[in-house]
Every structure is written in structure tokens, then in C-alpha cells.
Amino acid sequence: MCGITGWVAYDSDLTRRQEVVDAMTATMSCRGPDDSGTLVRPHVALGHRRLAVIDLPGGRQPMTVSTPRGDVALVYSGEAYSFTELRAELTALGHTWRTDSDTEVVLHGYLEWGDAVVDHLNGMYAFAIWDERDDHLLMVRDRLGVKPFYYFPTADGVLFGSEPKAILANPLVPRAVDVDGLRELFAFTKTPGWSLWRGMHEVEPGTIVTVTRDGIRTRTYWRLDAKPHTDDQDATVERVRELMTDIVRRQLVADVPRCVLLSGGLDSSAITGLAAAELGEGLRTFSVDFVGQEQNFQPDEMRDTPDAPYIRDVARLVGSAHQDVVLVPAALTDPEVRRAVVRARDIPAGLGDMDTSLYLLFKAIRAESTVALSGESADEVFGGYRWFHDDSVHAGTFPWIAFRAKAMTERSSPLDAGLLAKLDLGAYVADQYRTAVAQVDHPDGETGHEALMRTMGHLHLTRFVRMLLDRKDRTSMAVGLEVRVPFCDHRLVEYVYNTPWSLKTFDGREKSLLRHATAHVLPASVRDRVKSPYPSTQDPGYAAALQQQAKDVLAEHDNRVFDLVDRTWVHRVSQVDPITMSPADRIGLDRVLDLYHWIDMYRPELVLA
């Protein structure tokens, strides 16, 4: 797992711009604390920061292979879980090796198959290949979008990076944010290809972007297609079990300490159980909690029970060396922690303690492990969220918005009225929903509820999950922790996506297939537990601290945050009783404080006309 960046300029001499390339590369130092490297030629510059996970002495980048017609160079971030088989296949075809790294396997795969190498890869990755034989750049992103990848077209080429901050370090790039960028920030629809920064784009998941002297073109190499499902219930459960066992086995491969993120829910517990079965003794597990959360827990619309009892049950069953990372309100509201999260994500996401607690959890884990397996994305794959099972949210808009009808108001309530009018978020969300639904491929004869639930699954796997994957990657890599996501293996995604909804819920509950496929490694308490999302603190001290920080912002009368935020709203909410503060107001204060720190750190040019 690493950070990559680069610059292609067909009309310039980049050998004179080493200092800029170094600055771009340095922004990725958190993603790659173990090594740094650059390659600078007249029309291309590549930068790499390495987090060494496989073949620690080898695998340095940029990695180059010389051919009779010119060099081919690679910068690579991620893991190819199929690299052992690919290495054997390429060896049989005559390739020889200098290292034991998966990076070299990907590079030789390109030499053998060109951009069709993507069809041979199983993994999470974002990589760029400069091919000197015809002076073109190839940018590739994994199928589900586990690894981030951005690019910025220029007059004579392109800039790219694992994160926007690498691109923003180049003086060619204005730090401009316009109304179009802000719409998606507040709408929560995850428009494909979106970046907050004007002129910047994501390399979309499952996509290859090719840059030549003639311009930029894209090719989609993977998408969610409708395919027939012919297995019966028992065969389907068995196939899911086989896939999950193989996926976890592959993703445990590393030359550094590994662990599993354990929340006590079905998803992370299944990964933990399968990992323990594979490794035997010595598995480490980590979870996050808040001081007093279990003792003072109050059920709400999303969470029926605290996580801690279920975590203990799983750790006891598998015999893991478990560590609870217990956080206090002061840590969650520390302005420096908030700034670290905003810097990690390059956007003011406004998720408050759900972001800061995740960052602090990852920071604590990094002191003990370099690689962690996560249960992220199981709800999108298997249909686990509560709104999948609520008929009232199954039409008209994105279900994660409809399930909590106030969500749009909560995310936008602090905003200036004039800005809200320009954003017209309702129309934007409606337009994005129509676009997203039109992209769903239905097999012949699929109608009614099955067609509706396929659409639900597609929306989550092409929109919602990408928001969570970006959050996970950016906050973990900010502390140099590689988090792997077994449920994003494309084989599992394709198989379960095409399984009828009636099979996905055959026992009358959410995630029936996963529950039965992994029942052999789960305690009974977890098998019976209702879906509970990532935890959030219930301590009123958190809200009180937000209010005090908001008052400090109010004292800065000419602060640019009030170009976006309604000062009267901030003043009102900073005065309410923190014990009875509504969730909407708490969300709003988190949004305001994120915006405040983002403006202070990034100094964006706000183009609001």
C-alpha cells in the first residue's frame, strides 16, 4: 500500500521541475512512510511513497523495465492478491524476476498483455504506467474503487495522484471550488468521477484512463452486469462459504504484522472467524469504544445494542489477542485531530466523531500492526442496511437519503440561504438518482420486487460504498495502515449481486447468505444480532465541546467560513442545552467546524457566482 503521483507534459522539459515533483511526492509521505522514489524524464515524472508490506527489501518504485524500444515504468498502490498465480503463469511464458513483489508481477503482466493485464488482477489497486515505446500513460483503478485515484488534465498532458493533495502541490493547479463541487459535498450521492476541486476528476472504479499526445480517453473494463443465477439455496450458501474462505486466505498474505477490525457485528465477526481458522493461534483483533458507552448506552433508530458484549463473545470464541481502543470526548473533539482528518480526506466531510474515532482507532492499531482486514462493504454486497428492508424508502430517491428523511436538511441546515438557493440540492439529487437508475442492467423477465432490489444493490455498489471506501482508505493511510476489504473481492460481488433477493433473505432476515455461510465460525449471539452500524458517542460532553469551538469561530467576524455558513444558525445552536441537542444540530456543528478548518488549511478560492 503506497501513495503515487505523476506529471505528463508533452510540450515541457520536466527534468527542470524536480523540486515540484518532490513536493508532489512528499504530500504522500503518510501513505508511504518506508521509502520514497522519483523518476524524471523530459516528458514524464513519476513519484512514489512506499508502505512496505510484501517483499520488504525489494519492490522499490518507480519500477522500470528496459525494452529494445524504450523503458516501461510503473508506480503502484495497493495489493494484487492473485500475484502468486500470475507470477507462475508469467514465468512459464519466459519472464524472469528481480524481486518477490506483486509490483513487479503487475509490471510484467503489462509487458505481456498490455492493458488487458487488468483482466488478470484480483485485488485493490491504483497504478500508472508510462510506456516510453509510444510515449503514453496508463492510469488504472480497481473494480470497486477501494484505492483512490485522481487526475487533472493540463494544456499539454495530465497531473495525477492517489489523493488531491498531491495534485494541488503543483503550481499549475488552482485551488478553486465552485458550486458544482459543493453540490456533491452536501448532497451525499457520490457522483461518479466527482472531485471537490474544479477541473479535477476521479479515475472511476473499473476504468482505464489513457493519456497520449492526442488527448485523454477512458475505457471501462469492469461493470456490474446482470447474469443468470442457477444455484439453489444450499449451493449458493456453499459457494459464498468457498469464496469467503479463499478471499480471507489471500488477503492475509503479508510480510508484516496483521490484524482484524472487530466490531461485534456479523460482517467483521465473520472475517475474524475465518482469519482465525486460517491462522490458528496469534490473531490480533481491535475495536473502538467510548468511555462509559456500554454502561450508559441508549438505543436509537440505528443502534439497538452496544457492541462490547458481542466483541467479547467473538474474541473468546476465536481466542484472539483483543484490544479495545477506548476514546474520551476530549480526544474526539480535539481540533488537531479534526484537522488531521480533514487533511487526510482533502474535504470537509462533516461526519464528526465517526471520522475522528476511526482515525484514532487506526492510529492506535498502527502502533501494533501494518495490515488490517475489515468487514467494510458487506452491507452493500448482501443487502444488510435497514433501509433495504423498509418498503417506504424503495422508490424516488437514494435509499440512504430516504431512510432518514431529514438527512438532506441535517447536512445543509447550517448553510447560508443564498448558497442553498444556488445549490438547489433537491433538483441535483433527483437528477443524480435518475442517472444512476438508468445505468442498471436488468435481465430479461426480471420485474417487480426482484427488479427493485437489484436496483437497490446497484446503487449501493456503484455509489454508497464508494463514499465509505474513500473514508476508510484516507483515514487509515493517513497513519500508514493498510486496510484490506475482503467483501470487495469482485468474484464475491458479482456472484451475490446476481443472486435473487429471495435467496439473499431466505431465512426472513438481512444477510441470510453471509450468516449461514459463516455460521461455523460465529458465536450464537452474533448470528442472532440485528444489524448495528459503526458506533457514535452518546456523551453530551461531545456536543458541549462542539458548541465552545463554534463560539470561538463566531468570534472571528470576518472568517471566510461565513461565505458558506449562516452565522445566525451557528449562534443559535451554540446556545442550546447540549444534553437535549438534536442529532441534526450536532451534525450541523460538525459540518461547520470541518468547513472552518478546511478553509484555514487549504485556502480555497470559492467560486460561488
Side-chain angles (χ1 to χ4, degrees):
M1 191 78 77
C2 307
I4 65 174
T5 189
W7 186 0
V8 172
Y10 289 107
D11 298 332
S12 304
D13 182 0
L14 296 183
T15 61
R16 301 173 181 269
R17 307 304 302 274
Q18 180 72 55
E19 74 287 351
V20 177
V21 178
D22 290 342
M24 294 170 66
T25 305
T27 65
M28 299 287 95
S29 59
C30 290
R31 296 186 69 91
D34 296 329
D35 196 12
S36 178
T38 61
L39 179 149
V40 181
R41 303 280 174 87
H43 301 308
V44 67
L46 304 176
H48 186 265
R49 293 288 312 204
R50 186 183 185 208
L51 176 65
V53 171
I54 293 175
D55 186 15
L56 306 191
R60 295 195 68 192
Q61 300 182 46
M63 186 174 286
T64 304
V65 171
S66 295
T67 78
R69 294 174 45 218
D71 291 349
V72 179
L74 168 71
V75 283
Y76 175 86
S77 170
E79 304 292 344
Y81 304 125
S82 55
F83 84 96
T84 301
E85 302 98 296
L86 287 181
R87 184 185 178 97
E89 183 177 355
L90 289 164
T91 299
L93 292 169
H95 293 257
T96 58
W97 310 98
R98 295 175 295 172
T99 76
D100 294 321
S101 68
D102 60 333
T103 302
E104 188 177 15
V105 172
V106 173
L107 180 54
H108 279 257
Y110 171 77
L111 292 174
E112 181 67 33
W113 298 302
D115 67 9
V117 65
V118 296
D119 300 324
H120 299 259
L121 297 179
N122 176 314
M124 56 178 189
Y125 45 82
F127 62 86
I129 294 175
W130 173 254
D131 193 333
E132 197 175 65
R133 295 173 296 184
D134 56 3
D135 284 354
H136 82 267
L137 179 78
L138 204 69
M139 295 183 284
V140 179
R141 192 174 180 197
D142 66 69
R143 294 170 178 86
L144 272 294
V146 181
K147 304 311 299 172
F149 204 176
Y150 295 83
Y151 68 100
F152 184 92
T154 63
D156 67 338
V158 74
L159 298 159
F160 68 84
S162 291
E163 300 179 3
K165 60 176 63 68
I167 298 170
L168 294 170
N170 191 299
L172 290 178
V173 182
R175 296 191 169 211
V177 175
D178 58 19
V179 172
D180 287 337
L182 291 173
R183 280 194 185 97
E184 177 55 41
L185 178 67
F186 300 124
F188 214 54
T189 69
K190 196 60 176 81
T191 301
W194 172 80
S195 168
L196 176 61
W197 306 94
R198 187 169 68 179
M200 195 180 298
H201 312 276
E202 274 191 313
V203 177
E204 293 187 32
T207 297
I208 299 171
V209 178
T210 304
V211 183
T212 68
R213 289 182 179 274
D214 296 327
I216 298 174
R217 67 179 187 273
T218 64
R219 175 174 78 83
T220 300
Y221 70 88
W222 183 87
R223 59 168 51 90
L224 277 174
D225 291 327
K227 301 174 183 177
H229 184 87
T230 58
D231 292 342
D232 64 14
Q233 178 180 308
D234 289 342
T236 300
V237 170
E238 180 58 30
R239 180 56 180 157
V240 171
R241 182 182 297 119
E242 292 172 353
L243 284 168
M244 289 300 305
T245 302
D246 179 67
I247 292 164
V248 171
R249 177 186 59 79
R250 289 173 179 271
Q251 296 200 17
L252 284 170
V253 174
D255 296 330
V256 292
R258 302 151 296 181
C259 68
V260 178
L261 306 177
L262 175 59
S263 71
L266 173 62
D267 315 334
S268 66
S269 299
I271 299 298
T272 300
L274 292 169
E278 178 69 27
L279 293 178
E281 297 181 355
L283 178 65
R284 299 207 62 178
T285 53
F286 292 84
S287 64
V288 66
D289 203 353
F290 310 102
V291 171
Q293 183 90 337
E294 182 177 4
Q295 297 82 356
N296 303 310
F297 181 83
Q298 295 293 321
D300 59 30
E301 64 175 333
M302 297 294 288
R303 301 168 182 86
D304 297 326
T305 55
D307 292 333
Y310 302 93
I311 291 169
R312 290 192 292 268
D313 287 349
V314 175
R316 187 181 305 115
L317 176 68
V318 304
S320 67
H322 183 74
Q323 180 177 332
D324 290 311
V325 178
V326 183
L327 305 174
V328 298
L332 295 171
T333 58
D334 183 345
E336 289 307 311
V337 174
R338 185 181 293 273
R339 290 172 74 86
V341 171
V342 172
R343 186 180 302 112
R345 301 196 63 183
D346 292 312
I347 61 172
L351 295 182
D353 70 300
M354 294 182 68
D355 267 357
T356 54
S357 65
L358 191 66
Y359 172 83
L360 292 169
L361 169 65
F362 288 154
K363 187 175 182 181
I365 292 173
R366 185 61 178 89
E368 308 290 339
S369 293
T370 308
V371 170
L373 270 63
S374 166
E376 188 92 85
S377 308
D379 289 306
E380 290 80 8
V381 174
F382 289 95
Y385 292 115
R386 295 191 181 191
W387 52 75
F388 272 93
H389 310 273
D390 184 342
D391 291 340
S392 68
V393 302
H394 285 185
T397 190
F398 295 100
W400 53 89
I401 293 177
F403 182 73
R404 299 184 66 180
K406 297 180 181 178
M408 182 66 72
T409 302
E410 289 171 355
R411 295 178 65 81
S412 61
S413 55
L415 299 183
D416 173 79
L419 175 61
L420 275 174
K422 293 175 183 176
L423 295 176
D424 195 4
L425 295 178
Y428 175 78
V429 171
D431 182 63
Q432 285 300 314
Y433 180 72
R434 286 190 295 269
T435 300
V437 169
Q439 294 173 343
V440 182
D441 176 33
H442 292 278
D444 292 342
E446 185 177 73
T447 60
H449 193 63
E450 286 291 347
L452 176 63
M453 299 315 293
R454 181 183 294 275
T455 296
M456 285 272 284
H458 196 278
L459 293 175
H460 282 79
L461 290 166
T462 60
R463 297 273 185 147
F464 193 70
V465 76
R466 295 179 185 178
M467 292 184 272
L468 301 184
L469 290 172
D470 184 75
R471 167 179 175 257
K472 177 272 306 172
D473 178 272
R474 305 288 282 281
T475 51
S476 63
M477 292 306 295
V479 297
L481 177 70
E482 173 175 301
V483 178
R484 300 177 178 179
V485 195
F487 290 110
C488 282
D489 185 294
H490 72 279
R491 298 170 300 160
L492 179 71
V493 171
E494 291 172 351
Y495 184 77
V496 177
Y497 174 70
N498 283 294
T499 301
W501 183 251
S502 57
L503 266 181
K504 292 176 184 174
T505 56
F506 68 80
D507 64 357
R509 297 193 56 188
E510 79 284 357
K511 293 186 284 195
S512 306
L513 292 175
L514 179 61
R515 179 175 291 102
H516 286 260
T518 59
H520 62 296
V521 296
L522 297 171
S525 60
V526 171
R527 290 199 302 271
D528 296 336
R529 191 184 184 192
V530 175
K531 163 68 185 173
S532 185
Y534 183 84
S536 179
T537 181
Q538 296 182 334
D539 192 326
Y542 180 84
L546 297 185
Q547 288 178 305
Q548 183 55 55
Q549 293 175 27
K551 291 174 183 176
D552 294 339
V553 173
L554 285 168
E556 300 181 29
H557 296 287
D558 59 349
N559 193 284
R560 291 174 61 217
V561 74
F562 294 110
D563 292 343
L564 304 174
V565 169
D566 180 0
R567 181 187 292 273
T568 302
W569 184 95
V570 179
H571 182 269
R572 177 187 66 78
V573 175
S574 67
Q575 304 299 318
V576 304
D577 185 346
I579 296 177
T580 59
M581 180 183 291
S582 71
D585 285 348
R586 194 176 109 165
I587 290 170
L589 283 181
D590 271 318
R591 168 68 74 190
V592 170
L593 293 172
D594 272 15
L595 286 166
Y596 168 80
H597 289 292
W598 172 72
I599 288 172
D600 181 60
M601 289 188 291
Y602 284 85
R603 306 291 176 179
E605 174 193 355
L606 298 174
V607 185
L608 305 180

